[in-house]
Amino acid sequence: MGENDKLKSYREKRDFRRTGEPSGGERKPGNEPLFVIQKHDASNLHYDLRLEVDGVLKSWAVPKGPSTDPSVKRLALPTEDHPLDYADFEGTIPEGQYGAGSVIVWDTGPYRNLRAGKEGDGLDMTGALDEGKVEVWLEGQKLQGGYALIRTAGGEDERWLLIKMDDDGADARRNPTSTEPASVLSGRTLEEVREEDKAQNGG
Ligand code: MN
């Protein structure tokens, strides 16, 4: 399946004459795959976790956002693949458009596939996704260390859980979604992006 086919669902949901979101295909993949977590105040506030895999961003909506406490399991609902250039998108998706609301990049950085094996003899990301068990090492500004994504239901009601793995990045007392709300790219909060875009568009 080509990159264009993977982004069919993404493109069908959006009118690129109305939304400032990227239409995709402009950014070349780097050497290190990227993760990004975007905070998005759509009809329900959520965090979008995205992992670069084979030229697209595999995506999940995480209503409560990631935790640094390994005993906490966070629901993660799969959403359509996004283009790589979505990784640095911040702004406000206009009313009436799919996902209307403001978006900031809450955290981003490179990631490693922990299931690849020391000799690279394990599973690649596609294999791990197919199996429903992804383990990645995040090197973000707010989140570091291993995170597991476990598929708990498939088909129409596909659901996953996002769980911090128990390593040096684990900390049951940290609560970065509350204490570190700002964008790692622009330093702005979601509220600031919303107000700036409102002012630009004449309220
Ligand atoms: Mn979203």
Side-chain angles (χ1 to χ4, degrees):
M1 193 158 66
E3 195 177 292
N4 282 349
D5 301 322
K6 290 185 194 167
L7 295 175
K8 188 166 180 278
S9 170
Y10 173 85
R11 292 195 175 107
E12 280 173 355
K13 289 174 192 286
R14 290 169 176 81
D15 179 353
F16 295 106
R17 293 165 303 184
R18 304 259 347 260
T19 179
E21 295 166 287
S23 55
E26 288 141 42
R27 187 177 167 275
K28 289 273 171 287
N31 293 329
E32 282 186 306
L34 278 179
F35 83 93
V36 61
I37 298 175
Q38 281 158 318
K39 188 178 178 184
H40 182 190
D41 68 345
S43 44
N44 293 300
L45 179 76
H46 61 272
Y47 293 77
D48 290 296
L49 167 64
R50 311 189 196 282
L51 298 172
E52 177 181 347
V53 179
D54 292 339
V56 294
L57 297 172
K58 305 304 285 184
S59 298
W60 294 259
V62 182
K64 292 189 175 170
S67 175
T68 52
D69 180 348
S71 72
V72 170
K73 298 177 173 69
R74 290 281 158 86
L75 177 65
L77 299 167
T79 57
E80 75 277 16
D81 294 351
H82 279 51
L84 292 184
D85 50 1
Y86 209 93
D88 56 10
F89 173 74
E90 293 194 334
T92 302
I93 303 164
E95 281 303 318
Q97 294 298 296
Y98 181 74
S102 299
V103 176
I104 59 167
V105 175
W106 184 79
D107 200 13
T108 189
Y111 84 87
R112 277 188 295 119
N113 170 18
L114 292 174
R115 300 203 64 198
K118 284 205 169 64
E119 315 288 331
D121 51 355
L123 277 179
D124 64 10
M125 283 297 288
T126 301
L129 286 162
D130 286 348
E131 203 178 78
K133 187 179 174 214
V134 170
E135 292 176 352
V136 287
W137 184 271
L138 306 183
E139 293 188 22
Q141 294 184 39
K142 294 172 183 168
L143 302 184
Q144 291 88 31
Y147 275 83
L149 273 160
I150 311 291
R151 187 170 57 219
T152 58
E156 284 284 290
D157 299 312
E158 189 177 330
R159 298 157 74 87
W160 296 62
L161 293 172
L162 175 66
I163 308 162
K164 179 73 193 79
M165 294 167 73
D166 203 354
D167 54 34
D168 285 350
D171 186 343
R173 288 162 307 179
R174 258 186 91 202
N175 191 5
T177 51
S178 300
T179 60
E180 300 170 61
S183 162
V184 295
L185 294 188
S186 65
R188 297 179 299 173
T189 63
L190 199 49
E191 293 71 24
E192 286 166 345
V193 168
R194 190 195 303 137
E195 290 310 313
E196 280 173 31
D197 288 345
K198 211 186 262 179
Q200 262 178 24
N201 298 321

